[in-house]
Amino acid sequence: MLKSKEILQLISILLIELLLEILSFVVVPVALLFCKKDDEHLPKIFRWFEDANDYYDGKCAAINGDSGWREKHYPEPTNRTYKARLLWLLRNKIGRFSSEINGVKVDDVNPYSIETLGDPYITSNGGKKSGFCKVTCTLKDGKKRFGLFKTIRYKGFLSGFYCRIYLGWKLMDIAGANALNFKEFTQKDDKKYLKTVWCINPFKKVNQKGE
């Protein structure tokens, strides 16, 4: 399902990002010491270690959390405390790096190159059935990127669980896109960068309502 070059790309992602994630346990606690209450980002030299520069409800989530974090865990202004920021960044490690440095800038995608294999709606079936979706694209500089999402529904006494695999880049956000409808995937509220991803969850509970 993955070509040899794609496997090498995945290995490269793993080696680089695993090292940075390990470093984040040392860097983040120190970097936060230099942040003021009103800050929205880590100091520039530490930006790789903050979360992606995404906005929720008009507010940056880089170090202060997204809307769900602010609503369920640390309501404002407690989300700006050292503890809340530390927990957020250790939960969402190197988001800035995996999106803006190692990720795919949506505007750089050649819409004519996008290919979608499998079920483009597999991410929302809650693991009710086995399936996959693989999206590939070429960037304007000629580099190729891929995203593979796969679910494996278990049988027998484990039938209430499934394995979820997501590798490469988060290209499921543009699954089904092409040159004719690409603008529908690049609206104002859509993500500007698609992160790298290397996640295997072997025991995820089946959600009959979908995810």
Side-chain angles (χ1 to χ4, degrees):
M1 193 168 290
L2 290 181
K3 299 177 181 178
S4 56
K5 187 174 182 179
E6 293 170 342
I7 293 174
L8 290 176
Q9 286 180 315
L10 184 59
I11 292 173
S12 176
I13 291 172
L14 279 167
L15 291 176
I16 295 171
E17 296 195 358
L18 191 57
L19 175 60
L20 287 176
E21 287 205 4
I22 293 172
L23 284 175
S24 68
F25 287 100
V26 176
V27 174
V28 169
V30 174
L32 285 174
L33 294 174
F34 298 93
C35 291
K36 299 176 183 177
K37 184 178 180 179
D38 295 334
D39 287 344
E40 301 291 343
H41 298 277
L42 292 177
K44 281 189 176 181
I45 60 172
F46 301 119
R47 291 281 168 89
W48 283 5
F49 295 91
E50 67 182 29
D51 193 19
N53 192 29
D54 294 328
Y55 282 77
Y56 298 85
D57 300 331
K59 298 179 181 179
C60 182
I63 64 173
N64 296 316
D66 59 17
S67 54
W69 180 259
R70 297 193 305 269
E71 179 182 336
K72 298 178 181 179
H73 301 283
Y74 289 91
E76 294 191 55
T78 60
N79 65 313
R80 293 176 178 271
T81 62
Y82 180 90
K83 178 184 177 182
R85 285 171 167 173
L86 179 63
L87 292 175
W88 172 255
L89 292 179
L90 292 183
R91 179 177 175 175
N92 299 276
K93 295 182 284 292
I94 66 168
R96 184 75 172 259
F97 178 85
S98 65
S99 59
E100 296 188 24
I101 306 299
N102 227 20
V104 168
K105 187 177 182 180
V106 178
D107 286 345
D108 288 343
V109 174
N110 179 353
Y112 291 93
S113 71
I114 300 172
E115 293 185 8
T116 302
L117 300 175
D119 180 5
Y121 304 106
I122 191 67
T123 58
S124 59
N125 80 358
K128 290 182 288 186
K129 63 178 182 179
S130 297
F132 82 98
C133 182
K134 182 181 180 183
V135 180
T136 58
C137 69
T138 302
L139 306 184
K140 291 178 180 178
D141 61 5
K143 295 179 180 178
K144 297 182 183 296
R145 297 290 183 257
F146 75 93
L148 173 65
F149 189 97
K150 186 173 183 178
T151 59
I152 303 172
R153 176 76 183 269
Y154 297 125
K155 298 180 180 180
F157 71 96
L158 290 175
S159 61
F161 297 88
Y162 71 103
C163 176
R164 186 173 73 174
I165 302 169
Y166 202 173
L167 303 172
W169 284 264
K170 290 191 173 183
L171 300 188
M172 293 305 108
D173 285 27
I174 58 172
N178 54 53
L180 296 177
N181 65 7
F182 192 61
K183 286 186 177 180
E184 298 176 15
F185 294 81
T186 55
Q187 300 299 312
K188 182 179 179 180
D189 295 332
D190 290 321
K191 293 180 180 178
K192 308 302 179 185
Y193 292 88
L194 303 179
K195 290 182 179 181
T196 51
V197 59
W198 38 283
C199 179
I200 299 177
N201 189 334
F203 288 103
K204 191 167 177 65
K205 193 171 183 179
V206 173
N207 184 347
Q208 295 297 337
K209 296 180 180 180
E211 291 184 323

PDB file of all heavy atoms in Angstrom, residues 12-24:
ATOM      1  N   SER A  12      11.934   9.020   7.810  1.00  0.00           N
ATOM      2  CA  SER A  12      12.547  10.330   8.030  1.00  0.00           C
ATOM      3  C   SER A  12      11.720  11.172   9.001  1.00  0.00           C
ATOM      4  O   SER A  12      12.262  11.810   9.919  1.00  0.00           O
ATOM      5  CB  SER A  12      12.692  11.063   6.693  1.00  0.00           C
ATOM      6  OG  SER A  12      13.193  12.365   6.878  1.00  0.00           O
ATOM      7  N   ILE A  13      10.404  11.163   8.811  1.00  0.00           N
ATOM      8  CA  ILE A  13       9.510  11.897   9.715  1.00  0.00           C
ATOM      9  C   ILE A  13       9.662  11.385  11.140  1.00  0.00           C
ATOM     10  O   ILE A  13       9.793  12.156  12.099  1.00  0.00           O
ATOM     11  CB  ILE A  13       8.044  11.749   9.257  1.00  0.00           C
ATOM     12  CG1 ILE A  13       7.812  12.494   7.943  1.00  0.00           C
ATOM     13  CG2 ILE A  13       7.087  12.279  10.331  1.00  0.00           C
ATOM     14  CD1 ILE A  13       6.449  12.229   7.327  1.00  0.00           C
ATOM     15  N   LEU A  14       9.662  10.068  11.292  1.00  0.00           N
ATOM     16  CA  LEU A  14       9.761   9.451  12.612  1.00  0.00           C
ATOM     17  C   LEU A  14      11.057   9.820  13.322  1.00  0.00           C
ATOM     18  O   LEU A  14      11.052  10.203  14.496  1.00  0.00           O
ATOM     19  CB  LEU A  14       9.657   7.931  12.485  1.00  0.00           C
ATOM     20  CG  LEU A  14       8.252   7.343  12.356  1.00  0.00           C
ATOM     21  CD1 LEU A  14       8.321   5.887  11.924  1.00  0.00           C
ATOM     22  CD2 LEU A  14       7.524   7.457  13.687  1.00  0.00           C
ATOM     23  N   LEU A  15      12.171   9.717  12.610  1.00  0.00           N
ATOM     24  CA  LEU A  15      13.469   9.978  13.222  1.00  0.00           C
ATOM     25  C   LEU A  15      13.589  11.423  13.695  1.00  0.00           C
ATOM     26  O   LEU A  15      14.047  11.691  14.812  1.00  0.00           O
ATOM     27  CB  LEU A  15      14.591   9.656  12.229  1.00  0.00           C
ATOM     28  CG  LEU A  15      14.786   8.174  11.888  1.00  0.00           C
ATOM     29  CD1 LEU A  15      15.868   8.008  10.826  1.00  0.00           C
ATOM     30  CD2 LEU A  15      15.152   7.383  13.144  1.00  0.00           C
ATOM     31  N   ILE A  16      13.163  12.350  12.854  1.00  0.00           N
ATOM     32  CA  ILE A  16      13.281  13.774  13.187  1.00  0.00           C
ATOM     33  C   ILE A  16      12.312  14.164  14.299  1.00  0.00           C
ATOM     34  O   ILE A  16      12.698  14.786  15.302  1.00  0.00           O
ATOM     35  CB  ILE A  16      13.028  14.642  11.940  1.00  0.00           C
ATOM     36  CG1 ILE A  16      14.126  14.402  10.896  1.00  0.00           C
ATOM     37  CG2 ILE A  16      12.976  16.124  12.317  1.00  0.00           C
ATOM     38  CD1 ILE A  16      13.844  15.048   9.556  1.00  0.00           C
ATOM     39  N   GLU A  17      11.054  13.781  14.141  1.00  0.00           N
ATOM     40  CA  GLU A  17      10.039  14.254  15.076  1.00  0.00           C
ATOM     41  C   GLU A  17      10.095  13.533  16.419  1.00  0.00           C
ATOM     42  O   GLU A  17       9.774  14.122  17.454  1.00  0.00           O
ATOM     43  CB  GLU A  17       8.656  14.141  14.441  1.00  0.00           C
ATOM     44  CG  GLU A  17       8.517  15.044  13.221  1.00  0.00           C
ATOM     45  CD  GLU A  17       7.087  15.245  12.778  1.00  0.00           C
ATOM     46  OE1 GLU A  17       6.174  14.652  13.395  1.00  0.00           O
ATOM     47  OE2 GLU A  17       6.877  15.993  11.810  1.00  0.00           O
ATOM     48  N   LEU A  18      10.510  12.280  16.408  1.00  0.00           N
ATOM     49  CA  LEU A  18      10.649  11.570  17.679  1.00  0.00           C
ATOM     50  C   LEU A  18      11.735  12.217  18.532  1.00  0.00           C
ATOM     51  O   LEU A  18      11.574  12.386  19.749  1.00  0.00           O
ATOM     52  CB  LEU A  18      10.979  10.096  17.422  1.00  0.00           C
ATOM     53  CG  LEU A  18      10.904   9.162  18.636  1.00  0.00           C
ATOM     54  CD1 LEU A  18       9.529   9.219  19.277  1.00  0.00           C
ATOM     55  CD2 LEU A  18      11.237   7.737  18.231  1.00  0.00           C
ATOM     56  N   LEU A  19      12.825  12.622  17.890  1.00  0.00           N
ATOM     57  CA  LEU A  19      13.903  13.305  18.607  1.00  0.00           C
ATOM     58  C   LEU A  19      13.411  14.633  19.184  1.00  0.00           C
ATOM     59  O   LEU A  19      13.668  14.955  20.352  1.00  0.00           O
ATOM     60  CB  LEU A  19      15.085  13.549  17.668  1.00  0.00           C
ATOM     61  CG  LEU A  19      16.243  14.373  18.244  1.00  0.00           C
ATOM     62  CD1 LEU A  19      16.835  13.678  19.466  1.00  0.00           C
ATOM     63  CD2 LEU A  19      17.320  14.601  17.189  1.00  0.00           C
ATOM     64  N   LEU A  20      12.672  15.401  18.372  1.00  0.00           N
ATOM     65  CA  LEU A  20      12.163  16.688  18.839  1.00  0.00           C
ATOM     66  C   LEU A  20      11.134  16.515  19.957  1.00  0.00           C
ATOM     67  O   LEU A  20      11.076  17.325  20.890  1.00  0.00           O
ATOM     68  CB  LEU A  20      11.544  17.461  17.674  1.00  0.00           C
ATOM     69  CG  LEU A  20      12.532  18.041  16.659  1.00  0.00           C
ATOM     70  CD1 LEU A  20      11.787  18.691  15.500  1.00  0.00           C
ATOM     71  CD2 LEU A  20      13.452  19.058  17.320  1.00  0.00           C
ATOM     72  N   GLU A  21      10.327  15.469  19.864  1.00  0.00           N
ATOM     73  CA  GLU A  21       9.343  15.233  20.923  1.00  0.00           C
ATOM     74  C   GLU A  21      10.027  14.903  22.244  1.00  0.00           C
ATOM     75  O   GLU A  21       9.575  15.327  23.312  1.00  0.00           O
ATOM     76  CB  GLU A  21       8.386  14.108  20.513  1.00  0.00           C
ATOM     77  CG  GLU A  21       7.393  14.523  19.439  1.00  0.00           C
ATOM     78  CD  GLU A  21       6.123  13.692  19.474  1.00  0.00           C
ATOM     79  OE1 GLU A  21       5.985  12.847  20.385  1.00  0.00           O
ATOM     80  OE2 GLU A  21       5.263  13.902  18.597  1.00  0.00           O
ATOM     81  N   ILE A  22      11.106  14.156  22.178  1.00  0.00           N
ATOM     82  CA  ILE A  22      11.868  13.851  23.394  1.00  0.00           C
ATOM     83  C   ILE A  22      12.479  15.132  23.964  1.00  0.00           C
ATOM     84  O   ILE A  22      12.428  15.389  25.171  1.00  0.00           O
ATOM     85  CB  ILE A  22      12.963  12.806  23.098  1.00  0.00           C
ATOM     86  CG1 ILE A  22      12.314  11.458  22.749  1.00  0.00           C
ATOM     87  CG2 ILE A  22      13.897  12.652  24.298  1.00  0.00           C
ATOM     88  CD1 ILE A  22      13.287  10.410  22.252  1.00  0.00           C
ATOM     89  N   LEU A  23      13.028  15.961  23.074  1.00  0.00           N
ATOM     90  CA  LEU A  23      13.622  17.229  23.504  1.00  0.00           C
ATOM     91  C   LEU A  23      12.588  18.169  24.120  1.00  0.00           C
ATOM     92  O   LEU A  23      12.911  18.977  24.995  1.00  0.00           O
ATOM     93  CB  LEU A  23      14.294  17.923  22.319  1.00  0.00           C
ATOM     94  CG  LEU A  23      15.644  17.374  21.860  1.00  0.00           C
ATOM     95  CD1 LEU A  23      16.104  18.090  20.600  1.00  0.00           C
ATOM     96  CD2 LEU A  23      16.686  17.527  22.965  1.00  0.00           C
ATOM     97  N   SER A  24      11.343  18.053  23.672  1.00  0.00           N
ATOM     98  CA  SER A  24      10.305  18.968  24.159  1.00  0.00           C
ATOM     99  C   SER A  24      10.085  18.849  25.663  1.00  0.00           C
ATOM    100  O   SER A  24       9.682  19.818  26.314  1.00  0.00           O
ATOM    101  CB  SER A  24       8.987  18.717  23.417  1.00  0.00           C
ATOM    102  OG  SER A  24       8.436  17.457  23.751  1.00  0.00           O
TER     103      SER A  24
END
